[in-house]
Amino acid sequence: MTPRFDVNAAPGHLIRRAHQISVAIFNAHLAAADVTPVQFAILNALQNKPGVDQITLAKHVAFDPATSGSVIGRLESKGWVERRADEVDRRRKLLVLTPQGLQALQGMHAAVTAVQAEILAPLPLAEQAQFIQLLTQLVAGHEQGEG
């Protein structure tokens, strides 16, 4: 007889469920902003690293470079991001937040902070920092193995 596999105790399944829950919480808090978690990550990255190219940006937010083009296109259509020609290589496009994008991003910060708190709310306060540290360690360990 084949032993049963408890999917509910499998790390991959639990991580997927945690992701689904976190996205649902994000969407509930930011529905009025009409922004996705990936769009927020891109806006936030552009605030921290203005004038970056699309491939570098995609790596920074751990997102597929090919798919990031359509996400950036949606942010452009909202007037939050614009592409500018690189002064050194005019064929290369650099991405920057527009003033409207910066204003929209700043308007999201309080809601995103609330999202993070709600995601962690089921854990005792004393364990929340440890959970973040372990997730950081897990991700870093796998990212180091990629290269």
Side-chain angles (χ1 to χ4, degrees):
M1 178 185 264
T2 305
R4 292 187 185 260
F5 182 81
D6 184 5
V7 71
N8 292 317
H13 174 73
L14 292 169
I15 290 168
R16 182 181 66 80
R17 283 295 297 131
H19 178 259
Q20 289 173 327
I21 292 165
S22 71
V23 169
I25 293 169
F26 183 97
N27 290 339
H29 281 265
L30 286 117
D34 188 31
V35 66
T36 68
V38 171
Q39 289 173 346
F40 175 80
I42 287 174
L43 293 170
N44 198 60
L46 287 175
Q47 181 181 22
N48 296 331
K49 294 180 181 261
V52 68
D53 64 89
Q54 181 175 323
I55 292 171
T56 303
L57 176 65
K59 286 178 187 175
H60 185 71
V61 297
F63 200 66
D64 175 55
T67 310
S68 69
S70 63
V71 175
I72 292 165
R74 285 191 287 282
L75 293 172
E76 279 184 298
S77 69
K78 292 179 182 188
W80 293 352
V81 171
E82 75 180 32
R83 298 174 203 248
R84 295 183 182 160
D86 185 343
E87 305 240 341
V88 176
D89 180 355
R90 305 291 292 168
R91 295 169 298 172
R92 185 171 176 237
K93 301 298 181 200
L94 305 179
L95 301 164
V96 295
L97 281 180
T98 64
Q100 299 92 334
L102 180 59
Q103 183 178 12
L105 179 62
Q106 289 171 339
M108 295 174 205
H109 282 158
V112 171
T113 299
V115 166
Q116 306 318 302
E118 187 172 333
I119 290 168
L120 294 174
L123 297 175
L125 196 56
E127 294 178 11
Q128 291 180 9
Q130 180 184 14
F131 178 72
I132 295 298
Q133 187 272 326
L134 289 170
L135 279 176
T136 301
Q137 184 179 343
L138 179 75
V139 170
H142 285 288
E143 286 178 344
Q144 289 172 356
E146 291 176 0

